[in-house]
Amino acid sequence: MIDLVRAAQRGDTRAMNELLDELTPYVGRICGPIALDDGPDAAQEALIAIFRGLRGLENPAALRGWARAIAVREAVRVARRAQRQQPAELTDVPAADDPQLVVDVQDVLRRLSPEHRAVLVLRDLEGMDEQTAAEVLDVPAGTAKSRLHRARASFRKAWRS
């Protein structure tokens, strides 16, 4: 992967295409739960930012972390811009293997702010510790911890209602 990054940084179009193909699913998995319906737009914005900023990446081994930070930033920005926080009515909680569960989780996520969705994605989906999530979000660790606490509490409350 490092050689691919270096080739792309030198202007190798084929390497850049391969690199973006490699990063696209990863960026999409990060942007989707944060930007919700606008996840594809956020992923596209993130990939453009990655494309434009790749030459400035000093450590090719840090590619995934760098791309993750860009994806989170763009997803939060797109979600804020869209302001799509419309509450949805939830009915009975479906079984774990019910496809309706995914729809219901998305409905509950819509009730959270983009910042709360971002910290939930980083901690609960990406498995980051609080310090790393705080660094990606560019906030103090205490802020990330309190956002996570509020996000989880809001999620539980919305899920139960």
Side-chain angles (χ1 to χ4, degrees):
M1 180 72 89
I2 292 173
D3 291 337
L4 188 61
V5 173
R6 287 190 177 127
Q9 286 177 318
R10 288 190 304 269
D12 183 329
T13 305
R14 187 174 310 176
M16 180 60 83
N17 286 336
E18 285 181 44
L19 193 60
L20 290 174
D21 285 346
E22 175 76 25
L23 289 174
T24 296
Y26 178 66
V27 167
R29 281 193 310 270
I30 292 168
C31 291
I34 297 170
L36 302 174
D37 291 339
D38 294 318
D41 292 341
Q44 183 176 5
E45 293 294 327
L47 290 167
I48 289 169
I50 290 166
F51 175 81
R52 289 182 177 157
L54 187 63
R55 287 183 192 251
L57 179 63
E58 293 178 15
N59 180 2
L63 175 69
R64 285 219 179 245
W66 178 73
R68 178 179 48 236
I70 292 171
V72 169
R73 182 187 69 227
E74 291 300 321
V76 168
R77 187 182 62 75
V78 167
R80 271 192 207 136
R81 186 180 65 212
Q83 292 298 311
R84 295 183 191 255
Q85 297 176 357
Q86 300 171 349
E89 292 296 321
L90 294 179
T91 57
D92 297 331
V93 177
D97 61 345
D98 189 335
Q100 183 62 37
L101 180 62
V102 172
V103 173
D104 289 344
V105 168
Q106 289 174 345
D107 287 341
V108 172
L109 285 172
R110 287 181 202 289
R111 300 178 190 194
L112 303 179
S113 72
E115 292 81 8
H116 286 167
R117 289 193 301 261
V119 75
L120 278 175
V121 167
L122 293 176
R123 288 284 284 135
D124 296 336
L125 294 180
E126 288 292 308
M128 288 184 182
D129 60 45
E130 288 170 3
Q131 183 62 41
T132 306
E135 290 170 8
V136 169
L137 296 170
D138 196 27
V139 298
T143 301
K145 186 174 183 174
S146 65
R147 280 185 189 172
L148 180 63
H149 175 75
R150 286 192 304 269
R152 286 177 174 164
S154 295
F155 188 95
R156 279 191 295 272
K157 182 179 178 185
W159 185 258
R160 291 181 188 137
S161 57

